[in-house]
Amino acid sequence: MTANGWLQIAVFFLVILALTKPLGIFMEKLFEGRGTRLDPLLRPIERGIYRFCGIREDREQRWTEYAISLLVFSAVTLLVTYLIQRLQGWLPLNPQGLGTAHAAQGAAAMTPDLAFNTAVSFTTNTNWQSYVPETTMSYLTQMLALATHNFFSAAAGIAVAIALVRGFARHSAEAIGNFWVDLVRATVYVLLPLSVAGALLLVSQGVIQNFHGYTAATTLEGGAQTIAQGPVASQEAVKMLGTNGGGFFNANSAHPFENPTPLSNLLETLFIFLIPAGLTYTFGRMVKDTRQGWALFAAMSVLFFAGVLVTYASEQAGNPMLAGLGVQSQASASQPGGNMEGKEARFGIPASALFAVVTTDASCGAVNSMHDSFTPLGGLVPLINIELGEVIFGGVGAGLYGMLMFAILAVFIAGLMVGRTPEYLGKKIEQKEVKMVMLAVLTLAASILLFSGAGAIIQFAKNSWVNPPGPAVANLNNGGPHGLSEILYAYSSGTGNNGSAFAGLNANTPWFNTTIAVAMWVGRFLMIIPLLAVAGSLARKKVVPASAGTLPTHGSLFVGLLVAVVVIVGALTFFPALALGPLVEHLLMQQHKLFSMVMFGWWS
Amino acid sequence: MIVTQESSPVTLMPLKRRRARPLFDPPIVRRAVRDSFAKLNPAHMLKNPVMFVVEVGAALTTGLAVRDAFGGAADLVFTLQITLWLWFTVLFANLAEAMAEGRGKAQADTLRKTKTETVARRCKSGNRVEEVAASQLRQGDVVICEAGNLIPGDGDVIEGIASVDESAITGESAPVIRESGGDRSAVTGGTKVLSDCIRVRITSNPGETFLDRMIALVEGAQRQKTPNEIALNIVIAGLTLVFLLAVVTLLPFAQYSVASAGAGRAPSVTVLVSLLVCLIPTTIGGLLSAIGIAGMDRVMQHNVLAMSGKAVEAAGDVNTLLLDKTGTITMGNRQAVEFIPVDGIEEAELADAAQLSSLADETPEGRSIVVLAKEKYRLRGREVAEHEAHFIAFSAQTRMSGVDLDHRSVRKGATESVAEFVRGNGGIIPRELVEISDRISNSGGTPLAVADGPRVLGVIHLKDVVKGGMRERFDHLRAMGIRTVMITGDNPLTAAAIAAEAGVDDFLAQATPRDKMDLIKKEQAGGRLVAMTGDGTNDAPALAQADVGLAMNTGTMAAKEAGNMVDLDSNPTKLIEVVAIGKQLLMTRGALTTFSIANDVAKYFAILPAMFMVTYPVLGKLNIMGLHSPESAILASVIFNALIIIALVPLALRGVSYRPMNAAALLGRNLLVYGVGGIIAPFPGIWLIDRLLGLLHLA
Amino acid sequence: MWKQWITAIRATVVLSLLTGLLYPALVTGLARVLFPRQAGGSLITVNGKVAGSELIGQKFTRQEYFRGRPSAAGDGYDAANSGGSNLGPTSRKLIERVQADAAAFRRENPDFHGPIPADLLTASASGLDPHISPASAEAQAARVARARRAPEEQVRRLIAARTEGRQLGFLGEPRVNVLLLNMDLDRAWPANRPR
């Protein structure tokens, strides 16, 4: 690890720290309806949307109605996305003729299961991509079917988080806000302005933004190179800001057109944490105690730095087997050293490690390097980050409500130890809250473990149409423990709504498309609905005034406790699986053990 | 039997009190061992999801052991040992619960002995009396009880006065007075009339008497899970499911790994069951109900009868404590503390006159004046009869009392009345009299002017005396975040002075029952939980409204019905101890849950490398305890897991130690002991068992 | 309930228009005005023909050119099919590939001794990485100079000129754009330009 590497990480963190408060205040004013500085410009648009949709701004909803609105909206947008994908061949803005008979060679088919997987993926803020975008999706599909979800799913996530916070902030109340109003405000006031500014910053660095067809170039050596084009910057900005992560290109943020310079890379990394970090402050303001928000911020920061440390250290240490082949593993002034497989030369090790940790701390899933090629421990961190529930700043909204879920659990177990019915922010944590939180924890664990378990051993018959015949693990790109990590990562990423991948797994088969789609749906809505129920239940409660007997939830003790609960719940659940994946792979790598794909004799 | 315990006013620590029964009382243990087998019934186990999973696992490995016994598998001995210890795990948990219940049952047996069939003398119309069995009495019947009779049922005295021995219920051998009307009219079935004769109106039907309910309560027959217990059950059931998922899916992952490494074999069902049992929170799962029962039991040992576990739990949550001034905070009587003479009068003369006027005054105030005079001026009580003394008793009209002797007429009383008396005798009123009186009033005391004929001598300062150690108690409560409010009928001035002296946070002066009720409602509207004590019928609505209502056993039946706890000793300060027990109950649950989950870390380190010793020998690096074989590692973990339940039974029954301190300090301390301790403890434990297994050649 | 569906459909329509069409159109318009070159892909034209993009790496196989990094995009630097190798650290395929590439490198660059810079033997994430580390360029300098029949000194000077430092002084890694460096070679020694 180099001093310069840590400087980049420190600058990143300090910028986030500096932006947390102003953005937090802005969002608090926005969602509490207290007016913002952008009102003169955006208020007319907001009112226009309400008028068109018949939304009554002043009418608040109970949690059930709020949840139904969210579900109905998700269902409608899901269907629209599915249809646009399937019909893209007949729709405009499709210079490559994708989905038509005259598509170029190598263009991929838009099968029903792929369209379904993708629609679920973007609706749930996952942006898992079973497809290669540049050979599959037309510009219109990318903009109208996919990028729109980058706004909607992010705005919905913010809405849910705000609703949950209202549950804490209110007392003896039935309503937790109006979903439609929260959705529109998050879109119009938060995501859109930031995206416009972000997109232009990215274009200045070289991110493309056009509607040209793919460019045919003659290379210096006289070969032909087809250069993919498209409206990238507009999608790129919101992809990061909304922690969506679905790349315009297959290589995602590693692609030079998505992320051309170290500065664009820093911007994109910042965009991921920007809103989630700001929301912690919004939370503090809404519950009238900003220390509570900073406590969450601190817990997140601890976990963030722990992840960065491990990943950066292991990636810089590199692969001992390559060193054995005469490859330089030490960094120097003129070359990066370390494990550069699957990393871009302009980013090097620290910026790649940082990006990998940030994108999985949040539920973003954009990648500027290929996690599949990380060292075992370097890859373990992204995997664990996802399995911990992506609560380290987390997805926009999702990170906050996920962390609040853990806070409820931490308060419940540890709160008993001060001899009181546990309470958080003056709200007693009782059966209903605990039940809903456990339901969410259980759902995530079940989805990841059961699907991965099935994936590890399931086999398909000769005439199977859901997957090529043979074992599902034949879809992997790596054998040995790493293969297990690939499966585990796929369902963790799906369930956690992350979207990044150990991309060696060929997941574009009906089996994987469908099971991962189910995992994504379950991971999103079986988390959101219980938490909205918690919001409703909390809002109805009275506030217990704090006293010396109240467990303080803003000090370092609570921060430590929260971190411990997050780590312990995740570690205890996934330790066996991780031990057989990344952990044992790390130990085997030290012994120079290699694995190839031919090894499966036991199903013949 | 219930033993009264000396009250120790300063401690908040229930644990420091003398214990009524040793923790492992042999008869209780014997019965508990028997019961723990009876509790293996799956229908019973189903109520406890964690232990139910263990039982299913044990049944599963039993089946495998039987199969292997006939099939002749190599690891039969291992399977048998695991099976045995899994059954022990279940039995140990059952034993803990049975022990806790056993203590209640033993108490119930003692109570039941007093419930012998008694004969009641029921009044019929006219003046006729018939003899009926007590069990035939119905609500509204009137019975006559004479000296030597057992009172046949709960009721109110409607005529007469009697001294009653209530030791069967309270353990207190000193008789108490019961009389018709007022707040001392309630009598309890099974208690004995010692003198006189009373008529009692029966207030409860057979099977519903106080004694019946008490027996049911201590037996735990009516025990329902408390809200917090249910919530905790949800958490540990959820964790159990999570671990079930982790273990079940370990099988396919293992199969993949075995195929990929081309070595070893996937773990057997026995091993997977062992891992599961070690991971699920069996420690808290096994002890949870014991903790709840033991909490009730601890309350009982303080001679407080809680009508539900919920009430005890709520006590831990109390934010506001309403305490009656009289009898709780102060001694209950005003006492003379000072003689203040007016100008020109010697203090000794005043003291002499004051004493003289009080010699025949049998009120506590009067006696305290005599005592003060004696202590301060060595004035002895004189034989006054020889002086042809004529004593004037206090009356509401004159508001004075005193004595006429040897041509003197000494009076003491309310300042205005005494001033009137002096003026009537042609005397003049010195200006200081009013000044001194006002000063005493302002400080919360009561001035009692003393005059001898036309001469004003001075003022006696009467004061409510705050019980020793109360200030410390209130400081402790404050540290725990509990606010104390003193309820008094005094005027605000007096109340403020006493409140300041006792160190309570707030007071309610000139309180009527209605004010008390309003205060409770106001506190509750602010989200606070309120506890109070009461004994009178007019306290009943407030007792019912409060979250924790501790009724005095000496109080009326209405008060006892309205509250959710009854203090058999009728000591209002008990409320503070009940609060401590409630907190201890919740803390014990939290501590054991944390401990249970923290234990899992070590178990993973023991079992996982053992499972994959052949497939991935390199995982042996995780075997940081250096356990000597895979079998012994797994067995040692299972044994540790079972033994820790037994080891923690005393903690569960006694509760974790608790000292009043603020929440952050308390949490820090408990996290260190039960969290960090819970992570570390199993490492040496499992290591030791592993060594022993090796020495005994068991694995 | 029914009303919720109507609201949802209307919201989908209006918000899709706003975020799916108006927003990208606005960004496109602004980008075209403010940063026309970048928005169009930073294309390089040689003799009026598009020769590639300065941001997109190209496949170089000849001795006279500097090589870029191994690419897993399509059959190598396929700019319509980006991606990495996705080979894990214990993949036999990865180790064998690196072993073969290392051997080939040492064969082609006999003057080079010592450990080979990591980036030169590892596939980039995008498969389109336009850069190599300065050390990787230096490692090839002797070979390129020999193939070009040019003084090695001058080739090294070109490398130095093409070396970009860390952005803003601390961001990213020092790097050399292979396509631009190779174009520099062609400009410096046009006669030796491979046909």
Side-chain angles (χ1 to χ4, degrees), chain B residues 578-601:
Chain B
V578 172
V579 166
I581 294 173
K583 287 193 172 298
Q584 209 185 17
L585 174 69
L586 293 173
M587 278 168 46
T588 308
R589 283 189 195 139
L592 288 185
T593 308
T594 309
F595 186 82
S596 194
I597 297 169
N599 269 206
D600 284 356
V601 174

Side-chain angles (χ1 to χ4, degrees), chain A residues 416-421 434 442 446 449 453 457 480 483 542-543 545 547-551 557 572-573 575-576 584 587 599 602, chain B residues 228 235 242 245-246 249 252 255-256 259-260 316-317 319 479-481 524 526 583 586-587 594 604 608 616 618 663-664 667 670:
Chain A
L416 283 177
M417 284 198 288
V418 304
R420 295 261 299 245
T421 299
V434 162
L442 198 55
L449 288 172
I457 50 165
K542 290 176 192 161
V543 175
S547 72
T550 312
L551 168 68
L557 185 64
L572 291 183
T573 311
F575 188 74
V584 77
L587 298 172
M599 54 159 202
W602 48 278
Chain B
N228 176 265
V235 170
V242 166
L245 283 167
T249 54
Q255 285 170 345
Y256 171 94
S260 140
D317 279 355
N319 305 83
M480 285 150 59
Q524 286 174 336
K583 287 193 172 298
L586 293 173
M587 278 168 46
T594 309
Y604 265 136
L608 270 187
Y616 290 131
V618 70
L667 177 67
N670 284 335

Side-chain angles (χ1 to χ4, degrees), chain A residues 399-421:
Chain A
L400 180 61
Y401 63 67
M403 197 49 130
L404 286 173
M405 179 185 91
F406 278 109
I408 289 175
L409 200 59
V411 160
F412 183 79
I413 293 175
L416 283 177
M417 284 198 288
V418 304
R420 295 261 299 245
T421 299

Side-chain angles (χ1 to χ4, degrees), chain C residues 35-192:
Chain C
F35 311 106
R37 184 178 140 72
Q38 289 96 319
S42 310
L43 297 178
I44 300 168
T45 46
V46 175
N47 306 326
K49 273 173 63 183
V50 178
S53 160
E54 117 181 24
L55 294 176
I56 304 288
Q58 292 185 0
K59 191 172 1 183
F60 292 102
T61 53
R62 300 180 193 240
Q63 300 293 320
E64 297 88 340
Y65 282 130
F66 285 91
R67 306 275 169 75
R69 305 179 56 191
S71 165
D75 50 1
Y77 289 96
D78 180 349
N81 199 357
S82 56
S85 73
N86 287 315
L87 294 173
T90 53
S91 161
R92 186 177 303 278
K93 220 160 138 189
L94 170 74
I95 301 304
E96 284 172 357
R97 189 200 76 204
V98 173
Q99 201 166 17
D101 286 357
F105 182 84
R106 296 207 187 269
R107 207 165 43 243
E108 289 177 356
N109 300 278
D111 311 298
F112 180 80
H113 304 288
I116 305 167
D119 58 303
L120 211 49
L121 293 178
T122 50
S124 65
S126 62
L128 303 174
D129 196 340
H131 299 112
I132 53 177
S133 66
S136 293
E138 295 282 344
Q140 303 179 55
R143 184 202 79 225
V144 171
R146 192 160 30 259
R148 290 264 175 181
R149 286 189 292 281
E152 196 179 318
E153 253 326 289
Q154 288 184 29
V155 173
R156 288 187 191 277
R157 251 199 303 266
L158 285 182
I159 294 175
R162 268 298 160 203
T163 300
E164 302 169 50
R166 293 197 163 97
Q167 204 171 4
L168 308 180
F170 72 101
L171 286 173
E173 295 292 324
R175 59 207 180 276
V176 178
N177 187 309
V178 182
L179 174 59
L180 296 182
L181 177 62
N182 285 338
M183 287 172 67
D184 290 344
L185 289 175
D186 285 351
R187 254 193 304 277
W189 298 282
N192 301 335

